[in-house]
Amino acid sequence: MPYYEELTAVLMQYYELIFTNNRFFKKRNVIFVFHFLQIMLQRIQTVYLIIVFILVGVLPFIFPLWTNGEGTEIYSMHIPMFTILFGLSVAMTVVAILGYNNRKRQFVINRLNIILNFILVGLFIYRSLNISGEAVDTVSEKGIGMFLPLISILFIVLANRAIKKDEDLVKSVDRLR
C-alpha cells in the first residue's frame, strides 16, 4: 500500500506542475482544443486516417517485419530506408488529418500516401523474394509488419471514398442554391 500512496503523490506533483504552471492548459485553450477535435472527428475519414496513423506510426515498432534464420526479429527501425518511408507515410497522414478543411488537398495527399505505401509493399516483396539464399534449416519467417502497408492502403481508400462523398454533397448543395 505505501507504493500506491507514493505513486499518487508523484502523480499529483506532476499534475500541479503541468496544469497549474502552464499557460496552454488554461480553461479556454483546453475548450478550444476539445472543440477542434469535436469538429475534426465528425467526419468518418478522420477516423480512417487515425487508424492509418496507428497502422504506420505505432504498429511497425510493435510487430516485426520478419524473423531471420537465426531467430532475431527485424523491425522497421532496424532498416533506415523502411524507417524513412514509414515516417513519410506518418507525416502525410498527419497532414491529411489536420487538413480536414481542404478536402481536395486531403484527397491528393492520401493518393500520394497510397503510392508511398505501394512502394513499401514492393520493397517488402523484393526483400522477401531476393534474399532466398538461406539454408534449409534456417528459413526466415514473414511477420505481420510486412502487411501493415496493405492494411493502411485499404483504410486510405476508405477515407478517400468518404472525402469524395463529402465533396459531392457540397457540390450538390451548391447547385441547389
Side-chain angles (χ1 to χ4, degrees), residues 134-153:
E134 300 172 330
V136 177
D137 296 336
T138 59
V139 177
S140 65
E141 297 177 6
K142 280 64 172 178
I144 195 168
M146 292 186 88
F147 300 105
L148 293 176
L150 288 174
I151 300 168
S152 69
I153 288 170

Side-chain angles (χ1 to χ4, degrees), residues 36-69:
F36 175 74
L37 289 174
Q38 179 185 7
I39 291 172
M40 192 171 65
L41 289 177
Q42 285 181 352
R43 298 187 175 116
I44 188 67
Q45 63 260 27
T46 305
V47 175
Y48 291 144
L49 290 173
I50 289 172
I51 292 171
V52 170
F53 175 79
I54 292 169
L55 282 170
V56 296
V58 177
L59 295 183
F61 297 105
I62 297 172
F63 296 116
L65 298 175
W66 61 81
T67 305
N68 64 8

